[in-house]
Amino acid sequence: MPCGEESVWDVGIRAEEYMRSSSFTSSDRKKAPSRDYAVQFVDEHRTELIQRVRLVTPIADDLKPFIGEEKYSIITACKTPQEQMRALYDFLSGVERLEKRFYKSLLRHEPHLVEDLTAAD
């Protein structure tokens, strides 16, 4: 450590974490999306998805068994697709299992949007 600089904290990094890349190449996108890619896609494209997803109710239908009736009702009660997507994202936040299922549902109901956002990366 250079003179005058003191360590703020130390952290241990496992080899598999160090070797893992946080960015995906175009060849990665052509393969079946990994779990990590699905979560990263949902997180990175939040703003665009909120603005551009139109088929929110079918997506909420797919997620209903995992989010429950109450959260489903909150999503579908919203008036605009943008409000519905914001509510949906509130329930997804930090739950990787739900984000993966949301990504699969996006592929099913909004494939052209997913393709467009993937191409823009």
Side-chain angles (χ1 to χ4, degrees), residues 35-104:
R35 294 176 180 177
D36 292 339
Y37 179 77
V39 172
Q40 182 175 345
F41 181 90
V42 168
D43 290 343
E44 284 185 4
H45 296 288
R46 182 182 194 277
T47 302
E48 295 94 343
L49 290 170
I50 287 172
Q51 292 303 314
R52 297 176 62 186
V53 169
R54 294 291 169 252
L55 300 174
V56 184
T57 301
I59 292 169
D61 291 341
D62 289 349
L63 297 175
K64 186 176 179 180
F66 308 100
I67 62 174
E69 183 68 40
E70 184 178 352
K71 291 176 182 175
Y72 175 83
S73 295
I74 291 169
I75 293 167
T76 56
C78 296
K79 297 196 184 297
T80 67
Q82 292 82 10
E83 289 173 345
Q84 290 176 327
M85 283 297 294
R86 284 186 192 96
L88 193 151
Y89 260 101
D90 285 346
F91 301 132
L92 291 179
S93 69
V95 184
E96 284 190 13
R97 179 179 55 91
L98 287 178
E99 290 177 335
K100 292 171 201 169
R101 293 193 182 275
F102 173 58
Y103 180 77
K104 286 181 183 178

Side-chain angles (χ1 to χ4, degrees), residues 4-48:
E5 291 184 21
E6 62 182 320
S7 177
V8 177
W9 70 76
D10 291 319
V11 65
I13 300 175
R14 293 185 297 253
E16 64 271 11
E17 292 173 331
Y18 180 74
M19 301 304 279
R20 191 179 329 159
S21 172
S22 62
S23 62
F24 293 89
T25 64
S26 59
S27 64
D28 292 331
R29 289 185 199 107
K30 292 176 185 172
K31 300 175 191 171
S34 70
R35 294 176 180 177
D36 292 339
Y37 179 77
V39 172
Q40 182 175 345
F41 181 90
V42 168
D43 290 343
E44 284 185 4
H45 296 288
R46 182 182 194 277
T47 302
E48 295 94 343

